[in-house]
Amino acid sequence: MHLSSRQDYVSISFAGQGSGSYNNSKQWRRQSCWRKWKQLSRLQRSLILFILVLLFICGIASYPSVTEHLRGKTPFISYESEPLVGCQNLLKAGIIECQLTCLYCHMLQRKLSNKRGPPVLQNRLQKKGNASETVVEDRAADSKKEAFISFVSFVLESSWLEAVQEAFRHAWKGYKEFAWGHDELRPISKSYSEWFGLGLTLIDALDTMWILDLKEEFEEAKSWVATELTFNKNVDVNLFESTIRILGGLLSTYHLTGDTLFLDKAKDIGSRLMPAFNTPSKIPYSDVNIGKGIAHPPRWTSDSTVAEVTSIQLEFRELSRLTQEPQYQAAVAEVMKQVHKLDGKLDGLVPMFINTNNGQFTHQGIYTLGARADSYYEYLLKQWIQGGKKENQLLEDYLQAIEGVKKNLLQKSSPNGLTFVGELSHGQFSPKMDHLVCFLPGTLALGAHNGLPADHMDLAKELMETCYQMYIQMETGLSPEIVHFNMHQGSTRDIDVKLADRHNLLRPETVESLFYLHRLTKDHKYQDWGWEILQNFEKYTKVSSGGYTSINNVRDPEYPSPRDKMESFFLGETLKYFYLLFSNNTNLISLDQYVFNTEAHPLPIWPSTA
Ligand code: DMJ
């Protein structure tokens, strides 16, 4: 039998629970054992005792190697393996406390000898007999079950967290050897690519190393920041990308470590990005030369992307709070104020482009939660949370937009009825969904956690299932960049992928949402799903000499066709969210104290006096 989740562990182990004659049979077994023991000759008894002592000594002698294995590189319990065997191994390793050992043996024994019908029926028969005794036994069984669940969770948690640390070390090894101080690793060609020339991967990964407790790696990266990183460079950078990855990464690392090196660097890059806001409309340009202090739009247009100009607010607001210099917050607040008032929205949904000269939406009539609009919605909610839930306009825009999603973009697929978020183009619905949209389940769950309508959580759960299906329905178990859902009666599969959309860039959104869903519902199935996805990244994107690569074809497990690039967000976001997903410690970046920017950098929720 193949078992693939913690749920299976638990249900199998408890399958035999509920028999009414447990106490009597235990007594009977004990008495008959004692009788048999007394029937043995003195020589036989001595021999048995001698063997038991020998086994005990062997057990002690093998203890260091076993514990070493438990701490070792591969998780001790193979996720794919039969869980009962896994538990037996743990028993052999002697890491279960006495009571739990007995509990497990007891359950295993009862499972094997359970030939009297399903537990529900047994419970009913038992309840007919002696009601009060049953209540006591049920409670005892419940607490044993709880103990068992928390034990299994503990073992899985340690081995899964260690697997993420190991993945990070492997990615870091490639970056360190072939791309140190450059923007991105090209793991296949053992080289690097440059985007801004600012050590993007290193900066994006700083707080991940801190959170994953990789102190050595963190220290070497920190010393690069201290000695090598300079923003006094004649380079064009994208305002949005450098804000979320560099400014966001430096600010969060400052908060986690308290080291002012990172705050100084954050102030430096923040102030160098400000020329982007010098436009006729005050809607910022997409690009800025941080050495010359000159900003400009892309060569082919004077438009900026709506998601880009509305997803830099968390970072600039925080910079103002820390420096007590209001110009950063003022600049990004002006953008929100204008977008709030603009015509051209559909039930709170925004178009994808905005003009930097006149401040109006352009290319109107297309509405998506994917590329070019996604984080607008995310930052409405997160700014409201960051500021202590006082800025009502942000909340109203967010709530209206979610209603707009439900009314215009939400549909179900055929044949299995997966809920998905499509797109609207001039009144025409398209069942196309970007992987980027998978940030939405997490954002909805975060909103519900902060007092927004409970049906947001219901929708979050449905969309989470869809995003998971986007992975497991592919031959590699990895999601493509874009999927199309079938809506016609009689379709045989829910998800189609066009040839051009089959790539996977190691993106974080699904893992991010799994983290929120697990953290906020405590349902371990989300961890199980995440573990499955991590295994698939390991299998199809890991490069043996170091690093992980994006791939071209998630539908071809024989040749997924590596793209030779490890995006900085794989370390900044994907691995960080895996770690936070697998951790059961709700205080590890508490969602009541921090809000994550769209690049997974945690920034503090402002204290109410601020
Ligand atoms: C990241 O840079 C951010 O999460 C952004 O909001 C969307 N795209 C990438 C990751 O997919």
Side-chain angles (χ1 to χ4, degrees):
M1 179 174 35
H2 176 81
L3 296 160
S4 59
S5 76
R6 180 189 326 255
Q7 224 24 57
D8 295 334
Y9 264 94
V10 172
S11 57
I12 283 210
S13 301
F14 283 84
Q17 196 173 282
S19 156
S21 57
Y22 168 59
N23 283 335
N24 293 342
S25 71
K26 203 163 75 176
Q27 226 172 337
W28 180 84
R29 265 201 313 275
R30 246 189 248 137
Q31 283 167 1
S32 85
C33 278
W34 182 239
R35 242 181 278 126
K36 277 181 191 152
W37 177 253
K38 278 171 65 185
Q39 282 165 7
L40 296 174
S41 72
R42 184 182 287 247
L43 181 68
Q44 283 171 318
R45 282 191 229 161
S46 315
L47 207 62
I48 290 173
L49 284 174
F50 173 75
I51 291 170
L52 283 176
V53 169
L54 203 67
L55 283 175
F56 180 69
I57 292 169
C58 288
I60 298 279
S62 68
Y63 182 71
S65 67
V66 171
T67 49
E68 215 163 81
H69 185 62
L70 281 166
R71 275 190 238 105
K73 291 187 172 98
T74 48
F76 187 75
I77 298 182
S78 155
Y79 184 75
E80 298 296 328
S81 71
E82 164 72 58
L84 292 177
V85 174
C87 281
Q88 279 163 336
N89 286 340
L90 288 165
L91 283 173
K92 280 186 217 148
I95 69 158
I96 307 178
E97 280 177 13
C98 209
Q99 225 187 329
L100 272 167
T101 310
C102 298
L103 167 69
Y104 171 73
C105 291
H106 160 63
M107 287 186 303
L108 182 60
Q109 194 178 28
R110 285 164 73 79
K111 172 189 149 39
L112 296 175
S113 63
N114 174 30
K115 294 185 183 104
R116 284 167 297 164
V120 178
L121 184 61
Q122 288 174 27
N123 269 332
R124 269 195 220 134
L125 289 171
Q126 184 186 9
K127 272 169 196 156
K128 269 188 162 180
N130 183 341
S132 61
E133 207 175 284
T134 307
V135 173
V136 173
E137 281 194 6
D138 279 355
R139 270 201 211 122
D142 278 352
S143 67
K144 281 176 183 175
K145 184 174 175 175
E146 266 166 37
F148 186 74
I149 291 172
S150 55
F151 165 69
V152 171
S153 297
F154 167 75
V155 174
L156 288 181
E157 183 185 11
S158 331
S159 65
W160 289 1
L161 291 177
E162 204 168 309
V164 182
Q165 288 172 323
E166 209 37 58
F168 187 97
R169 282 196 199 98
H170 184 78
W172 193 246
K173 175 181 181 285
Y175 179 74
K176 207 175 146 182
E177 258 175 69
F178 310 120
W180 185 249
H182 297 285
D183 282 345
E184 290 138 345
L185 168 67
R186 299 185 63 208
I188 305 289
S189 54
K190 300 185 178 147
S191 59
Y192 57 84
S193 54
E194 220 63 290
W195 189 6
F196 309 143
L198 297 173
L200 204 57
T201 294
L202 188 148
I203 300 175
D204 221 359
L206 284 167
D207 58 2
T208 304
M209 290 181 264
W210 188 263
I211 291 167
L212 268 59
D213 201 23
L214 300 172
K215 294 276 156 54
E216 207 178 292
E217 291 81 356
F218 176 81
E219 287 305 326
E220 60 195 2
K222 177 184 149 183
S223 95
W224 184 86
V225 171
T227 57
E228 304 286 324
L229 177 62
T230 171
F231 297 124
N232 189 13
K233 269 188 162 178
N234 180 12
V235 286
D236 275 358
V237 303
N238 174 284
L239 169 68
F240 163 73
E241 297 293 357
S242 49
T243 299
I244 64 170
R245 300 184 199 215
I246 300 176
L247 178 56
L250 292 167
L251 286 173
S252 73
T253 307
Y254 164 65
H255 278 295
L256 295 176
T257 62
D259 191 327
T260 52
L261 163 70
F262 301 107
L263 179 57
D264 293 342
K265 292 288 180 188
K267 281 187 218 164
D268 190 10
I269 185 70
S271 59
R272 287 171 186 274
L273 292 173
M274 286 303 280
F277 295 90
N278 295 334
T279 69
S281 66
K282 299 199 177 136
I283 300 296
Y285 289 133
S286 59
D287 298 282
V288 51
N289 185 305
I290 52 173
K292 292 184 183 163
I294 299 169
H296 59 89
R299 240 170 278 135
W300 59 91
T301 177
S302 54
D303 290 350
S304 285
T305 299
V306 170
E308 292 195 357
V309 301
T310 55
S311 309
I312 48 180
Q313 279 65 17
L314 291 174
E315 300 80 358
F316 278 98
R317 281 157 52 113
E318 178 59 11
L319 188 59
S320 272
R321 192 180 73 95
L322 289 172
T323 58
Q324 296 294 304
E325 291 173 24
Q327 69 271 25
Y328 307 112
Q329 177 158 7
V332 293
E334 173 64 24
V335 180
M336 293 313 294
K337 194 173 120 200
Q338 289 194 39
V339 171
H340 170 74
K341 286 194 294 204
L342 278 184
D343 287 337
K345 289 186 205 157
L346 173 72
D347 302 319
L349 303 176
V350 290
M352 298 188 294
F353 296 100
I354 187 165
N355 189 274
T356 49
N357 290 326
N358 61 24
Q360 299 297 311
F361 288 131
T362 64
H363 301 81
Q364 293 195 34
I366 302 176
Y367 301 98
T368 173
L369 265 275
R372 301 185 188 283
D374 48 0
S375 41
Y376 160 72
Y377 305 101
E378 180 187 345
Y379 268 39
L380 286 175
L381 178 75
K382 288 182 172 177
Q383 285 179 79
W384 176 69
I385 293 172
Q386 178 191 43
K389 305 190 206 175
K390 292 177 197 140
E391 296 148 289
N392 288 335
Q393 210 166 75
L394 293 165
L395 176 62
E396 281 161 23
D397 286 355
Y398 176 74
L399 289 172
Q400 198 199 358
I402 298 306
E403 289 311 304
V405 171
K406 287 192 214 163
K407 185 172 159 196
N408 300 288
L409 304 181
L410 217 56
Q411 287 291 346
K412 287 205 189 272
S413 68
S414 178
N416 291 310
L418 298 174
T419 304
F420 69 93
V421 181
E423 297 183 355
L424 204 63
S425 176
H426 306 289
Q428 190 80 23
F429 181 79
S430 159
K432 163 183 179 274
M433 181 164 149
D434 295 353
H435 181 272
L436 286 169
V437 181
C438 289
F439 80 93
L440 188 59
T443 299
L444 286 167
L446 181 66
H449 174 69
N450 280 280
L452 302 191
D455 71 327
H456 286 204
M457 184 58 98
D458 301 335
L459 181 56
K461 289 177 187 169
E462 286 178 37
L463 291 171
M464 190 73 262
E465 168 77 41
T466 304
C467 290
Y468 170 60
Q469 291 297 329
M470 284 163 61
Y471 281 73
I472 54 154
Q473 291 197 15
M474 298 302 120
E475 287 76 355
T476 56
L478 291 173
S479 172
E481 179 75 354
I482 300 169
V483 296
H484 284 77
F485 288 92
N486 282 317
M487 292 172 68
H488 319 289
Q489 295 285 325
S491 310
T492 50
R493 51 183 302 154
D494 293 85
I495 300 176
D496 279 334
V497 187
K498 296 196 188 305
L499 266 179
D501 303 334
R502 295 182 167 195
H503 49 293
N504 178 296
L505 304 183
L506 311 171
R507 285 197 190 278
E509 290 76 17
T510 295
V511 188
E512 167 186 355
S513 284
L514 286 171
F515 154 65
Y516 283 105
L517 269 285
H518 170 257
R519 180 69 73 89
L520 300 174
T521 67
K522 305 271 185 298
D523 188 337
H524 291 302
K525 84 175 173 198
Y526 299 116
Q527 292 180 316
D528 293 337
W529 292 358
W531 179 246
E532 220 176 320
I533 292 171
L534 179 61
Q535 297 308 293
N536 297 330
F537 277 126
E538 290 289 334
K539 197 162 169 191
Y540 295 106
T541 71
K542 188 172 187 171
V543 179
S544 58
S545 47
Y548 292 77
T549 179
S550 329
I551 54 173
N552 279 313
N553 192 354
V554 297
R555 308 224 60 171
D556 187 352
E558 295 308 313
Y559 186 63
S561 173
R563 280 172 90 115
D564 196 16
K565 185 156 170 178
M566 183 174 80
E567 302 277 351
S568 81
F569 50 68
F570 184 62
L571 299 192
E573 297 193 70
T574 312
L575 291 180
K576 184 189 289 154
Y577 282 130
F578 267 127
Y579 192 83
L580 293 170
L581 164 65
F582 296 146
S583 170
N584 293 319
N585 176 6
T586 50
N587 290 323
L588 182 61
I589 317 292
S590 159
L591 289 176
D592 297 316
Q593 286 166 16
Y594 290 94
V595 64
F596 287 88
N597 85 340
T598 194
E599 189 76 4
H601 298 302
L603 299 172
I605 293 172
W606 297 344
S608 48
T609 48

